[in-house]
Amino acid sequence: FDAGVFVPIVGHRDRDGRPIVYCRYARMDYTRWPPDTVLAACLYMLERLVAEHGDACSRVGVSMLADCDGLGWANFHLETEKLGSKLLDDALPVRIGYFVTVREPGILSAMWRLMSPFVSAKMRSRVRFLGADTARVADYFDAASVPREIGGALDFDARAFATAARLAE
């Protein structure tokens, strides 16, 4: 969490009232963190969200805001992605509200076009690729809930938010 790869933005919500998880995928370093450590951290974070927000996580969901600037193949591990998806589908009462990406490389949206026919229409309706147009983040999140690095007004400190999440236990 301290590296700021996946961090709940404690105390902030999307425009529809869902908790927000901020993801900076380019910071994912599988040479530093083995896949089981990544999955354990994700599971811990999602369990904390469920503990804090209860059944709202399964009713209205959680919104993911992903900054994909600098994302590349080194930040991807197929087996971890598969297991993470299975974890969300089968093991946790967490539903995705929105999955909004900004500054993503073109290959990511191309991959989505290939994969999306195999994803439910409901899930497809929740995924948004905004590219370099960070101003469109305001369609889903208030500026006060969006880190400055992607056009918002929030002074985001991953360590502070990670500490806040741990103290909420």
Side-chain angles (χ1 to χ4, degrees):
F1 294 113
D2 293 346
V5 179
F6 301 105
V7 182
I9 301 183
V10 177
H12 294 268
R13 310 266 187 199
D14 72 6
R15 291 202 179 271
D16 295 323
R18 297 178 191 99
I20 303 168
V21 174
Y22 183 46
C23 312
R24 291 187 278 192
Y25 289 116
R27 293 186 179 201
M28 180 62 67
D29 182 355
Y30 285 104
T31 63
R32 185 171 165 201
W33 306 301
D36 59 335
T37 300
V38 171
L39 286 172
C42 289
L43 179 61
Y44 173 80
M45 179 206 48
L46 292 170
E47 285 177 339
R48 294 299 320 132
L49 283 171
V50 170
E52 182 178 343
H53 301 287
D55 68 339
C57 289
S58 60
R59 276 186 303 104
V60 296
V62 172
S63 283
M64 310 289 279
L65 175 57
D67 180 7
C68 298
D69 189 39
L71 182 69
W73 287 113
N75 313 111
F76 181 77
H77 187 268
L78 183 59
E79 288 305 311
T80 303
E81 300 302 325
K82 284 181 187 176
L83 288 171
S85 177
K86 187 159 180 56
L87 181 74
L88 271 176
D89 288 345
D90 300 340
L92 288 169
V94 175
R95 175 174 102 110
I96 300 298
Y98 284 116
F99 188 87
V100 178
T101 69
V102 295
R103 305 191 305 180
E104 70 276 353
I107 190 71
L108 189 60
S109 53
M111 287 173 58
W112 175 248
R113 283 191 300 276
L114 290 172
M115 293 176 7
S116 64
F118 305 104
V119 176
S120 72
K122 193 176 196 178
M123 188 60 185
R124 283 193 310 268
S125 73
R126 297 176 182 167
V127 176
R128 304 285 190 274
F129 292 98
L130 306 183
D133 189 3
T134 57
R136 288 187 47 215
V137 171
D139 293 347
Y140 306 96
F141 306 94
D142 290 325
S145 298
V146 175
R148 286 188 195 282
E149 63 195 51
I150 56 172
L154 180 65
D155 290 320
F156 182 76
D157 177 352
R159 289 176 194 259
F161 279 97
T163 299
R166 282 192 292 265
L167 291 176
E169 294 180 3

PDB file of all heavy atoms in Angstrom, residues 75-109:
ATOM      1  N   ASN A  75       4.486  -4.594 -15.765  1.00  0.00           N
ATOM      2  CA  ASN A  75       3.493  -4.383 -14.713  1.00  0.00           C
ATOM      3  C   ASN A  75       2.331  -5.361 -14.812  1.00  0.00           C
ATOM      4  O   ASN A  75       1.313  -5.184 -14.151  1.00  0.00           O
ATOM      5  CB  ASN A  75       2.927  -2.954 -14.794  1.00  0.00           C
ATOM      6  CG  ASN A  75       3.998  -1.925 -14.948  1.00  0.00           C
ATOM      7  OD1 ASN A  75       4.100  -1.309 -15.994  1.00  0.00           O
ATOM      8  ND2 ASN A  75       4.819  -1.742 -13.936  1.00  0.00           N
ATOM      9  N   PHE A  76       2.477  -6.381 -15.619  1.00  0.00           N
ATOM     10  CA  PHE A  76       1.393  -7.321 -15.881  1.00  0.00           C
ATOM     11  C   PHE A  76       1.854  -8.740 -15.588  1.00  0.00           C
ATOM     12  O   PHE A  76       2.951  -9.131 -15.955  1.00  0.00           O
ATOM     13  CB  PHE A  76       0.972  -7.194 -17.352  1.00  0.00           C
ATOM     14  CG  PHE A  76      -0.148  -8.104 -17.742  1.00  0.00           C
ATOM     15  CD1 PHE A  76      -1.450  -7.803 -17.391  1.00  0.00           C
ATOM     16  CD2 PHE A  76       0.100  -9.262 -18.460  1.00  0.00           C
ATOM     17  CE1 PHE A  76      -2.493  -8.642 -17.749  1.00  0.00           C
ATOM     18  CE2 PHE A  76      -0.929 -10.103 -18.826  1.00  0.00           C
ATOM     19  CZ  PHE A  76      -2.234  -9.798 -18.469  1.00  0.00           C
ATOM     20  N   HIS A  77       1.000  -9.503 -14.931  1.00  0.00           N
ATOM     21  CA  HIS A  77       1.282 -10.908 -14.648  1.00  0.00           C
ATOM     22  C   HIS A  77      -0.031 -11.664 -14.859  1.00  0.00           C
ATOM     23  O   HIS A  77      -0.976 -11.517 -14.074  1.00  0.00           O
ATOM     24  CB  HIS A  77       1.784 -11.065 -13.211  1.00  0.00           C
ATOM     25  CG  HIS A  77       2.254 -12.435 -12.903  1.00  0.00           C
ATOM     26  ND1 HIS A  77       1.423 -13.395 -12.378  1.00  0.00           N
ATOM     27  CD2 HIS A  77       3.468 -13.015 -13.042  1.00  0.00           C
ATOM     28  CE1 HIS A  77       2.113 -14.507 -12.196  1.00  0.00           C
ATOM     29  NE2 HIS A  77       3.348 -14.307 -12.593  1.00  0.00           N
ATOM     30  N   LEU A  78      -0.114 -12.436 -15.924  1.00  0.00           N
ATOM     31  CA  LEU A  78      -1.358 -13.071 -16.351  1.00  0.00           C
ATOM     32  C   LEU A  78      -2.011 -13.891 -15.247  1.00  0.00           C
ATOM     33  O   LEU A  78      -3.217 -13.774 -14.998  1.00  0.00           O
ATOM     34  CB  LEU A  78      -1.118 -13.937 -17.592  1.00  0.00           C
ATOM     35  CG  LEU A  78      -2.369 -14.602 -18.168  1.00  0.00           C
ATOM     36  CD1 LEU A  78      -3.405 -13.569 -18.571  1.00  0.00           C
ATOM     37  CD2 LEU A  78      -1.992 -15.488 -19.343  1.00  0.00           C
ATOM     38  N   GLU A  79      -1.252 -14.744 -14.578  1.00  0.00           N
ATOM     39  CA  GLU A  79      -1.841 -15.595 -13.539  1.00  0.00           C
ATOM     40  C   GLU A  79      -2.405 -14.770 -12.395  1.00  0.00           C
ATOM     41  O   GLU A  79      -3.458 -15.099 -11.839  1.00  0.00           O
ATOM     42  CB  GLU A  79      -0.813 -16.615 -13.026  1.00  0.00           C
ATOM     43  CG  GLU A  79      -0.511 -17.714 -14.022  1.00  0.00           C
ATOM     44  CD  GLU A  79      -1.781 -18.437 -14.487  1.00  0.00           C
ATOM     45  OE1 GLU A  79      -2.620 -18.845 -13.654  1.00  0.00           O
ATOM     46  OE2 GLU A  79      -1.941 -18.591 -15.713  1.00  0.00           O
ATOM     47  N   THR A  80      -1.728 -13.693 -12.031  1.00  0.00           N
ATOM     48  CA  THR A  80      -2.227 -12.833 -10.962  1.00  0.00           C
ATOM     49  C   THR A  80      -3.516 -12.162 -11.393  1.00  0.00           C
ATOM     50  O   THR A  80      -4.466 -12.052 -10.604  1.00  0.00           O
ATOM     51  CB  THR A  80      -1.167 -11.778 -10.580  1.00  0.00           C
ATOM     52  OG1 THR A  80       0.025 -12.465 -10.196  1.00  0.00           O
ATOM     53  CG2 THR A  80      -1.642 -10.907  -9.438  1.00  0.00           C
ATOM     54  N   GLU A  81      -3.586 -11.713 -12.644  1.00  0.00           N
ATOM     55  CA  GLU A  81      -4.810 -11.082 -13.142  1.00  0.00           C
ATOM     56  C   GLU A  81      -5.970 -12.078 -13.120  1.00  0.00           C
ATOM     57  O   GLU A  81      -7.081 -11.737 -12.722  1.00  0.00           O
ATOM     58  CB  GLU A  81      -4.599 -10.545 -14.560  1.00  0.00           C
ATOM     59  CG  GLU A  81      -3.508  -9.514 -14.690  1.00  0.00           C
ATOM     60  CD  GLU A  81      -3.717  -8.285 -13.815  1.00  0.00           C
ATOM     61  OE1 GLU A  81      -4.881  -7.865 -13.621  1.00  0.00           O
ATOM     62  OE2 GLU A  81      -2.722  -7.745 -13.324  1.00  0.00           O
ATOM     63  N   LYS A  82      -5.711 -13.311 -13.543  1.00  0.00           N
ATOM     64  CA  LYS A  82      -6.756 -14.329 -13.539  1.00  0.00           C
ATOM     65  C   LYS A  82      -7.248 -14.607 -12.121  1.00  0.00           C
ATOM     66  O   LYS A  82      -8.452 -14.667 -11.871  1.00  0.00           O
ATOM     67  CB  LYS A  82      -6.227 -15.631 -14.152  1.00  0.00           C
ATOM     68  CG  LYS A  82      -6.102 -15.621 -15.645  1.00  0.00           C
ATOM     69  CD  LYS A  82      -5.596 -16.988 -16.089  1.00  0.00           C
ATOM     70  CE  LYS A  82      -5.274 -17.054 -17.548  1.00  0.00           C
ATOM     71  NZ  LYS A  82      -4.703 -18.371 -17.910  1.00  0.00           N
ATOM     72  N   LEU A  83      -6.296 -14.803 -11.194  1.00  0.00           N
ATOM     73  CA  LEU A  83      -6.671 -15.092  -9.813  1.00  0.00           C
ATOM     74  C   LEU A  83      -7.386 -13.907  -9.173  1.00  0.00           C
ATOM     75  O   LEU A  83      -8.334 -14.088  -8.410  1.00  0.00           O
ATOM     76  CB  LEU A  83      -5.442 -15.485  -8.997  1.00  0.00           C
ATOM     77  CG  LEU A  83      -4.865 -16.857  -9.309  1.00  0.00           C
ATOM     78  CD1 LEU A  83      -3.518 -17.045  -8.607  1.00  0.00           C
ATOM     79  CD2 LEU A  83      -5.833 -17.946  -8.895  1.00  0.00           C
ATOM     80  N   GLY A  84      -6.933 -12.702  -9.479  1.00  0.00           N
ATOM     81  CA  GLY A  84      -7.579 -11.505  -8.939  1.00  0.00           C
ATOM     82  C   GLY A  84      -9.013 -11.384  -9.419  1.00  0.00           C
ATOM     83  O   GLY A  84      -9.921 -11.047  -8.651  1.00  0.00           O
ATOM     84  N   SER A  85      -9.239 -11.684 -10.672  1.00  0.00           N
ATOM     85  CA  SER A  85     -10.588 -11.643 -11.233  1.00  0.00           C
ATOM     86  C   SER A  85     -11.473 -12.694 -10.575  1.00  0.00           C
ATOM     87  O   SER A  85     -12.624 -12.424 -10.222  1.00  0.00           O
ATOM     88  CB  SER A  85     -10.508 -11.875 -12.742  1.00  0.00           C
ATOM     89  OG  SER A  85     -11.786 -11.904 -13.287  1.00  0.00           O
ATOM     90  N   LYS A  86     -10.929 -13.884 -10.388  1.00  0.00           N
ATOM     91  CA  LYS A  86     -11.683 -14.960  -9.733  1.00  0.00           C
ATOM     92  C   LYS A  86     -12.004 -14.582  -8.293  1.00  0.00           C
ATOM     93  O   LYS A  86     -13.116 -14.827  -7.812  1.00  0.00           O
ATOM     94  CB  LYS A  86     -10.894 -16.261  -9.792  1.00  0.00           C
ATOM     95  CG  LYS A  86     -11.665 -17.451  -9.288  1.00  0.00           C
ATOM     96  CD  LYS A  86     -11.081 -18.729  -9.814  1.00  0.00           C
ATOM     97  CE  LYS A  86     -11.821 -19.937  -9.342  1.00  0.00           C
ATOM     98  NZ  LYS A  86     -13.236 -19.970  -9.617  1.00  0.00           N
ATOM     99  N   LEU A  87     -11.055 -13.955  -7.628  1.00  0.00           N
ATOM    100  CA  LEU A  87     -11.263 -13.499  -6.256  1.00  0.00           C
ATOM    101  C   LEU A  87     -12.439 -12.526  -6.189  1.00  0.00           C
ATOM    102  O   LEU A  87     -13.323 -12.655  -5.344  1.00  0.00           O
ATOM    103  CB  LEU A  87      -9.978 -12.822  -5.759  1.00  0.00           C
ATOM    104  CG  LEU A  87      -9.960 -12.292  -4.341  1.00  0.00           C
ATOM    105  CD1 LEU A  87      -9.850 -13.458  -3.375  1.00  0.00           C
ATOM    106  CD2 LEU A  87      -8.775 -11.357  -4.156  1.00  0.00           C
ATOM    107  N   LEU A  88     -12.464 -11.563  -7.096  1.00  0.00           N
ATOM    108  CA  LEU A  88     -13.570 -10.599  -7.122  1.00  0.00           C
ATOM    109  C   LEU A  88     -14.896 -11.278  -7.432  1.00  0.00           C
ATOM    110  O   LEU A  88     -15.925 -10.951  -6.841  1.00  0.00           O
ATOM    111  CB  LEU A  88     -13.306  -9.517  -8.168  1.00  0.00           C
ATOM    112  CG  LEU A  88     -12.545  -8.301  -7.697  1.00  0.00           C
ATOM    113  CD1 LEU A  88     -12.270  -7.365  -8.867  1.00  0.00           C
ATOM    114  CD2 LEU A  88     -13.272  -7.564  -6.593  1.00  0.00           C
ATOM    115  N   ASP A  89     -14.873 -12.217  -8.370  1.00  0.00           N
ATOM    116  CA  ASP A  89     -16.113 -12.882  -8.773  1.00  0.00           C
ATOM    117  C   ASP A  89     -16.655 -13.844  -7.725  1.00  0.00           C
ATOM    118  O   ASP A  89     -17.867 -13.909  -7.512  1.00  0.00           O
ATOM    119  CB  ASP A  89     -15.899 -13.670 -10.074  1.00  0.00           C
ATOM    120  CG  ASP A  89     -15.743 -12.775 -11.282  1.00  0.00           C
ATOM    121  OD1 ASP A  89     -16.070 -11.581 -11.179  1.00  0.00           O
ATOM    122  OD2 ASP A  89     -15.284 -13.278 -12.315  1.00  0.00           O
ATOM    123  N   ASP A  90     -15.772 -14.598  -7.071  1.00  0.00           N
ATOM    124  CA  ASP A  90     -16.214 -15.729  -6.260  1.00  0.00           C
ATOM    125  C   ASP A  90     -16.046 -15.585  -4.746  1.00  0.00           C
ATOM    126  O   ASP A  90     -16.757 -16.244  -4.000  1.00  0.00           O
ATOM    127  CB  ASP A  90     -15.464 -17.003  -6.674  1.00  0.00           C
ATOM    128  CG  ASP A  90     -15.695 -17.361  -8.128  1.00  0.00           C
ATOM    129  OD1 ASP A  90     -16.687 -16.889  -8.705  1.00  0.00           O
ATOM    130  OD2 ASP A  90     -14.868 -18.100  -8.687  1.00  0.00           O
ATOM    131  N   ALA A  91     -15.108 -14.770  -4.302  1.00  0.00           N
ATOM    132  CA  ALA A  91     -14.751 -14.832  -2.888  1.00  0.00           C
ATOM    133  C   ALA A  91     -15.167 -13.626  -2.059  1.00  0.00           C
ATOM    134  O   ALA A  91     -15.239 -13.735  -0.847  1.00  0.00           O
ATOM    135  CB  ALA A  91     -13.233 -15.029  -2.753  1.00  0.00           C
ATOM    136  N   LEU A  92     -15.431 -12.509  -2.691  1.00  0.00           N
ATOM    137  CA  LEU A  92     -15.710 -11.305  -1.917  1.00  0.00           C
ATOM    138  C   LEU A  92     -17.040 -10.684  -2.319  1.00  0.00           C
ATOM    139  O   LEU A  92     -17.393 -10.690  -3.495  1.00  0.00           O
ATOM    140  CB  LEU A  92     -14.614 -10.265  -2.141  1.00  0.00           C
ATOM    141  CG  LEU A  92     -13.281 -10.564  -1.493  1.00  0.00           C
ATOM    142  CD1 LEU A  92     -12.221  -9.605  -1.999  1.00  0.00           C
ATOM    143  CD2 LEU A  92     -13.381 -10.467   0.013  1.00  0.00           C
ATOM    144  N   PRO A  93     -17.738 -10.112  -1.342  1.00  0.00           N
ATOM    145  CA  PRO A  93     -18.983  -9.419  -1.678  1.00  0.00           C
ATOM    146  C   PRO A  93     -18.702  -7.989  -2.148  1.00  0.00           C
ATOM    147  O   PRO A  93     -19.145  -7.013  -1.549  1.00  0.00           O
ATOM    148  CB  PRO A  93     -19.737  -9.429  -0.342  1.00  0.00           C
ATOM    149  CG  PRO A  93     -18.658  -9.380   0.689  1.00  0.00           C
ATOM    150  CD  PRO A  93     -17.508 -10.171   0.092  1.00  0.00           C
ATOM    151  N   VAL A  94     -17.918  -7.887  -3.210  1.00  0.00           N
ATOM    152  CA  VAL A  94     -17.547  -6.578  -3.749  1.00  0.00           C
ATOM    153  C   VAL A  94     -17.950  -6.540  -5.212  1.00  0.00           C
ATOM    154  O   VAL A  94     -17.673  -7.463  -5.966  1.00  0.00           O
ATOM    155  CB  VAL A  94     -16.032  -6.316  -3.614  1.00  0.00           C
ATOM    156  CG1 VAL A  94     -15.636  -5.013  -4.287  1.00  0.00           C
ATOM    157  CG2 VAL A  94     -15.619  -6.301  -2.156  1.00  0.00           C
ATOM    158  N   ARG A  95     -18.574  -5.467  -5.581  1.00  0.00           N
ATOM    159  CA  ARG A  95     -19.005  -5.272  -6.952  1.00  0.00           C
ATOM    160  C   ARG A  95     -18.298  -4.035  -7.485  1.00  0.00           C
ATOM    161  O   ARG A  95     -18.053  -3.089  -6.749  1.00  0.00           O
ATOM    162  CB  ARG A  95     -20.520  -5.090  -6.911  1.00  0.00           C
ATOM    163  CG  ARG A  95     -21.196  -4.773  -8.141  1.00  0.00           C
ATOM    164  CD  ARG A  95     -22.698  -4.788  -7.832  1.00  0.00           C
ATOM    165  NE  ARG A  95     -23.179  -3.441  -7.692  1.00  0.00           N
ATOM    166  CZ  ARG A  95     -23.973  -2.861  -8.576  1.00  0.00           C
ATOM    167  NH1 ARG A  95     -24.370  -3.514  -9.632  1.00  0.00           N
ATOM    168  NH2 ARG A  95     -24.367  -1.637  -8.401  1.00  0.00           N
ATOM    169  N   ILE A  96     -17.967  -4.027  -8.745  1.00  0.00           N
ATOM    170  CA  ILE A  96     -17.319  -2.867  -9.353  1.00  0.00           C
ATOM    171  C   ILE A  96     -18.403  -1.891  -9.800  1.00  0.00           C
ATOM    172  O   ILE A  96     -19.299  -2.262 -10.562  1.00  0.00           O
ATOM    173  CB  ILE A  96     -16.434  -3.269 -10.548  1.00  0.00           C
ATOM    174  CG1 ILE A  96     -15.337  -4.230 -10.110  1.00  0.00           C
ATOM    175  CG2 ILE A  96     -15.840  -2.033 -11.220  1.00  0.00           C
ATOM    176  CD1 ILE A  96     -14.365  -3.686  -9.105  1.00  0.00           C
ATOM    177  N   GLY A  97     -18.307  -0.656  -9.309  1.00  0.00           N
ATOM    178  CA  GLY A  97     -19.221   0.394  -9.755  1.00  0.00           C
ATOM    179  C   GLY A  97     -18.746   0.908 -11.101  1.00  0.00           C
ATOM    180  O   GLY A  97     -19.367   0.655 -12.133  1.00  0.00           O
ATOM    181  N   TYR A  98     -17.639   1.598 -11.082  1.00  0.00           N
ATOM    182  CA  TYR A  98     -16.970   2.041 -12.305  1.00  0.00           C
ATOM    183  C   TYR A  98     -15.526   1.585 -12.251  1.00  0.00           C
ATOM    184  O   TYR A  98     -14.936   1.478 -11.181  1.00  0.00           O
ATOM    185  CB  TYR A  98     -16.957   3.575 -12.424  1.00  0.00           C
ATOM    186  CG  TYR A  98     -18.268   4.174 -12.829  1.00  0.00           C
ATOM    187  CD1 TYR A  98     -18.950   5.019 -11.971  1.00  0.00           C
ATOM    188  CD2 TYR A  98     -18.815   3.916 -14.082  1.00  0.00           C
ATOM    189  CE1 TYR A  98     -20.151   5.583 -12.338  1.00  0.00           C
ATOM    190  CE2 TYR A  98     -20.022   4.476 -14.452  1.00  0.00           C
ATOM    191  CZ  TYR A  98     -20.686   5.306 -13.572  1.00  0.00           C
ATOM    192  OH  TYR A  98     -21.873   5.864 -13.940  1.00  0.00           O
ATOM    193  N   PHE A  99     -14.969   1.343 -13.413  1.00  0.00           N
ATOM    194  CA  PHE A  99     -13.534   1.126 -13.555  1.00  0.00           C
ATOM    195  C   PHE A  99     -13.091   2.152 -14.589  1.00  0.00           C
ATOM    196  O   PHE A  99     -13.328   1.976 -15.782  1.00  0.00           O
ATOM    197  CB  PHE A  99     -13.225  -0.297 -14.012  1.00  0.00           C
ATOM    198  CG  PHE A  99     -11.765  -0.600 -13.992  1.00  0.00           C
ATOM    199  CD1 PHE A  99     -11.164  -1.074 -12.844  1.00  0.00           C
ATOM    200  CD2 PHE A  99     -10.983  -0.381 -15.113  1.00  0.00           C
ATOM    201  CE1 PHE A  99      -9.802  -1.340 -12.821  1.00  0.00           C
ATOM    202  CE2 PHE A  99      -9.626  -0.641 -15.096  1.00  0.00           C
ATOM    203  CZ  PHE A  99      -9.034  -1.123 -13.945  1.00  0.00           C
ATOM    204  N   VAL A 100     -12.524   3.257 -14.098  1.00  0.00           N
ATOM    205  CA  VAL A 100     -12.165   4.389 -14.942  1.00  0.00           C
ATOM    206  C   VAL A 100     -10.646   4.446 -15.067  1.00  0.00           C
ATOM    207  O   VAL A 100      -9.942   4.483 -14.046  1.00  0.00           O
ATOM    208  CB  VAL A 100     -12.693   5.715 -14.335  1.00  0.00           C
ATOM    209  CG1 VAL A 100     -12.279   6.903 -15.180  1.00  0.00           C
ATOM    210  CG2 VAL A 100     -14.207   5.658 -14.179  1.00  0.00           C
ATOM    211  N   THR A 101     -10.140   4.445 -16.304  1.00  0.00           N
ATOM    212  CA  THR A 101      -8.698   4.557 -16.504  1.00  0.00           C
ATOM    213  C   THR A 101      -8.372   5.879 -17.191  1.00  0.00           C
ATOM    214  O   THR A 101      -9.154   6.366 -18.012  1.00  0.00           O
ATOM    215  CB  THR A 101      -8.127   3.407 -17.359  1.00  0.00           C
ATOM    216  OG1 THR A 101      -8.590   3.543 -18.691  1.00  0.00           O
ATOM    217  CG2 THR A 101      -8.509   2.051 -16.803  1.00  0.00           C
ATOM    218  N   VAL A 102      -7.234   6.439 -16.809  1.00  0.00           N
ATOM    219  CA  VAL A 102      -6.720   7.639 -17.469  1.00  0.00           C
ATOM    220  C   VAL A 102      -5.276   7.398 -17.860  1.00  0.00           C
ATOM    221  O   VAL A 102      -4.582   6.574 -17.263  1.00  0.00           O
ATOM    222  CB  VAL A 102      -6.816   8.904 -16.583  1.00  0.00           C
ATOM    223  CG1 VAL A 102      -8.261   9.263 -16.309  1.00  0.00           C
ATOM    224  CG2 VAL A 102      -6.057   8.734 -15.285  1.00  0.00           C
ATOM    225  N   ARG A 103      -4.851   8.094 -18.881  1.00  0.00           N
ATOM    226  CA  ARG A 103      -3.473   8.053 -19.375  1.00  0.00           C
ATOM    227  C   ARG A 103      -3.016   6.632 -19.707  1.00  0.00           C
ATOM    228  O   ARG A 103      -1.848   6.286 -19.562  1.00  0.00           O
ATOM    229  CB  ARG A 103      -2.522   8.728 -18.369  1.00  0.00           C
ATOM    230  CG  ARG A 103      -2.963  10.131 -18.041  1.00  0.00           C
ATOM    231  CD  ARG A 103      -1.987  10.960 -17.285  1.00  0.00           C
ATOM    232  NE  ARG A 103      -1.499  10.393 -16.048  1.00  0.00           N
ATOM    233  CZ  ARG A 103      -0.627  10.993 -15.256  1.00  0.00           C
ATOM    234  NH1 ARG A 103      -0.170  12.180 -15.560  1.00  0.00           N
ATOM    235  NH2 ARG A 103      -0.208  10.420 -14.150  1.00  0.00           N
ATOM    236  N   GLU A 104      -3.947   5.817 -20.175  1.00  0.00           N
ATOM    237  CA  GLU A 104      -3.606   4.440 -20.512  1.00  0.00           C
ATOM    238  C   GLU A 104      -2.952   4.386 -21.890  1.00  0.00           C
ATOM    239  O   GLU A 104      -3.291   5.182 -22.761  1.00  0.00           O
ATOM    240  CB  GLU A 104      -4.852   3.536 -20.491  1.00  0.00           C
ATOM    241  CG  GLU A 104      -5.843   3.770 -21.589  1.00  0.00           C
ATOM    242  CD  GLU A 104      -6.831   4.889 -21.299  1.00  0.00           C
ATOM    243  OE1 GLU A 104      -6.850   5.416 -20.174  1.00  0.00           O
ATOM    244  OE2 GLU A 104      -7.578   5.238 -22.224  1.00  0.00           O
ATOM    245  N   PRO A 105      -2.022   3.450 -22.070  1.00  0.00           N
ATOM    246  CA  PRO A 105      -1.427   3.277 -23.401  1.00  0.00           C
ATOM    247  C   PRO A 105      -2.475   2.699 -24.356  1.00  0.00           C
ATOM    248  O   PRO A 105      -3.403   2.005 -23.938  1.00  0.00           O
ATOM    249  CB  PRO A 105      -0.286   2.284 -23.153  1.00  0.00           C
ATOM    250  CG  PRO A 105      -0.637   1.577 -21.897  1.00  0.00           C
ATOM    251  CD  PRO A 105      -1.475   2.524 -21.091  1.00  0.00           C
ATOM    252  N   GLY A 106      -2.334   2.974 -25.628  1.00  0.00           N
ATOM    253  CA  GLY A 106      -3.279   2.501 -26.633  1.00  0.00           C
ATOM    254  C   GLY A 106      -3.465   1.001 -26.626  1.00  0.00           C
ATOM    255  O   GLY A 106      -4.552   0.506 -26.921  1.00  0.00           O
ATOM    256  N   ILE A 107      -2.422   0.278 -26.272  1.00  0.00           N
ATOM    257  CA  ILE A 107      -2.516  -1.185 -26.268  1.00  0.00           C
ATOM    258  C   ILE A 107      -3.557  -1.673 -25.265  1.00  0.00           C
ATOM    259  O   ILE A 107      -4.214  -2.688 -25.486  1.00  0.00           O
ATOM    260  CB  ILE A 107      -1.125  -1.838 -26.010  1.00  0.00           C
ATOM    261  CG1 ILE A 107      -1.173  -3.355 -26.237  1.00  0.00           C
ATOM    262  CG2 ILE A 107      -0.633  -1.525 -24.618  1.00  0.00           C
ATOM    263  CD1 ILE A 107      -1.302  -3.767 -27.658  1.00  0.00           C
ATOM    264  N   LEU A 108      -3.752  -0.929 -24.176  1.00  0.00           N
ATOM    265  CA  LEU A 108      -4.722  -1.350 -23.172  1.00  0.00           C
ATOM    266  C   LEU A 108      -6.149  -1.284 -23.726  1.00  0.00           C
ATOM    267  O   LEU A 108      -6.923  -2.226 -23.567  1.00  0.00           O
ATOM    268  CB  LEU A 108      -4.604  -0.497 -21.908  1.00  0.00           C
ATOM    269  CG  LEU A 108      -5.406  -0.972 -20.716  1.00  0.00           C
ATOM    270  CD1 LEU A 108      -4.989  -2.370 -20.287  1.00  0.00           C
ATOM    271  CD2 LEU A 108      -5.227  -0.009 -19.551  1.00  0.00           C
ATOM    272  N   SER A 109      -6.478  -0.207 -24.392  1.00  0.00           N
ATOM    273  CA  SER A 109      -7.827  -0.132 -24.960  1.00  0.00           C
ATOM    274  C   SER A 109      -7.986  -1.127 -26.106  1.00  0.00           C
ATOM    275  O   SER A 109      -9.075  -1.676 -26.314  1.00  0.00           O
ATOM    276  CB  SER A 109      -8.186   1.297 -25.386  1.00  0.00           C
ATOM    277  OG  SER A 109      -7.227   1.836 -26.231  1.00  0.00           O
TER     278      SER A 109
END
